[in-house]
Amino acid sequence: MHKKSTLQKLAALLCLTISSSVLSQNIDHWESVIYNTDQWSYFVGFSEPSNQWTQPSFDANTWLVDQGGFGYDDGDDNTTIVATSSVYIRKSFNLIDTAVIQYLILQADYDDAFVAYLNGTEIARNNIGTVGTPPTYDALATTFKEAQLYSGNQPESYSITPSNFRSFIKQGSNTLAIQIHNQSLTSSDLSSNFFLTLGISDNSNNYRSTPSWFQAPNLGSTLPI
């Protein structure tokens, strides 16, 4: 029984390694489709937004629009908002040819917690609640979490593979929606800087260069000896 279990684990690891190697070989270059400094729609969380706010079809005309990097009191904010327990942000973007997109990376720099959705599907979260359950507007982060970019460090990276995104990304318009939460109502600061980067399999150039700090992930890992 133990031998079978070990062989099953090795087989699963081998499949993962082969998949990573194939992905690595298929990626020609990386481009960013969303920057933190783009124009985003935003809603300060003093009440619950519509339960459709993560969907591309949601009408966000009543939301405010300004340069991303929403927050206060820590020197890394492009748009200063009032002290709050949460802020909701949305950014629509166009994908030219989804067939050549082999990888998505969400780069997240925030204080203190976030949940991100792509076309209504949760793709990443940290420091708050249970996966698959959207936090309420007044939910608080589990612990304090300091943003990193303003001090010269790397943001967090959340990788999404084709097996996870093929079913919901679309040719044409797509929507990235993110809710950011504070650790307490009296927190001294809040940060929200997010980027979306694509791994492209051909030499097309439809988007923008990656941020200067971007480091391509190692997708070609090998089995340990």
Side-chain angles (χ1 to χ4, degrees):
M1 187 71 171
H2 176 72
K3 182 177 180 181
K4 183 179 180 181
S5 177
T6 301
L7 288 174
Q8 287 174 333
K9 290 178 180 178
L10 283 172
L13 183 57
L14 179 59
C15 288
L16 179 62
T17 301
I18 291 172
S19 297
S20 295
S21 297
V22 169
L23 276 172
S24 180
Q25 293 166 6
N26 284 346
I27 293 176
D28 177 80
H29 67 286
W30 299 85
E31 297 180 48
S32 291
V33 67
I34 291 180
Y35 266 77
N36 66 324
T37 53
D38 290 341
Q39 293 288 299
W40 297 67
S41 300
Y42 72 101
F43 174 89
V44 180
F46 292 129
S47 63
E48 203 70 49
S50 164
N51 60 10
Q52 296 297 306
W53 76 275
T54 65
Q55 299 295 329
S57 59
F58 173 68
D59 183 357
N61 284 335
T62 60
W63 288 30
L64 299 172
V65 178
D66 217 323
Q67 187 177 39
F70 302 98
Y72 60 89
D73 285 352
D74 50 10
D76 63 349
D77 310 310
N78 298 314
T79 297
T80 301
I81 60 175
V82 297
T84 178
S85 59
S86 65
V87 61
Y88 296 75
I89 64 176
R90 289 170 43 96
K91 173 65 182 174
S92 294
F93 61 98
N94 284 320
L95 294 177
I96 308 302
D97 181 4
T98 58
V100 302
I101 299 173
Q102 298 299 317
Y103 217 73
L104 300 178
I105 299 178
L106 177 72
Q107 291 112 347
D109 193 48
Y110 58 95
D111 179 342
D112 293 290
F114 82 97
V115 185
Y117 312 85
L118 185 51
N119 293 337
T121 298
E122 182 177 326
I123 58 171
R125 80 162 60 200
N126 196 24
N127 203 26
I128 191 168
T130 303
V131 172
T133 303
T136 59
Y137 78 96
D138 54 355
L140 299 175
T142 305
T143 61
F144 288 106
K145 161 86 173 55
E146 189 66 22
Q148 298 298 311
L149 276 173
Y150 79 94
S151 58
N153 296 315
Q154 294 285 312
E156 293 176 356
S157 289
Y158 294 82
S159 301
I160 305 107
T161 61
S163 61
N164 292 322
F165 68 68
R166 283 284 178 232
S167 63
F168 57 83
I169 65 168
K170 302 179 296 181
Q171 205 107 322
S173 182
N174 295 260
T175 299
L176 177 65
I178 305 168
Q179 55 187 115
I180 302 95
H181 289 257
N182 242 327
Q183 197 276 337
S184 74
L185 293 174
T186 57
S187 175
S188 62
D189 57 6
L190 181 144
S191 296
S192 59
N193 289 285
F194 292 86
F195 309 76
L196 188 64
T197 296
L198 316 176
I200 308 294
S201 63
D202 66 5
N203 62 1
S204 60
N205 185 13
N206 294 314
Y207 311 104
R208 290 174 282 176
S209 60
T210 58
S212 59
W213 42 259
F214 174 75
Q215 296 178 355
N218 179 12
L219 303 179
S221 58
T222 58
L223 275 171
I225 301 300

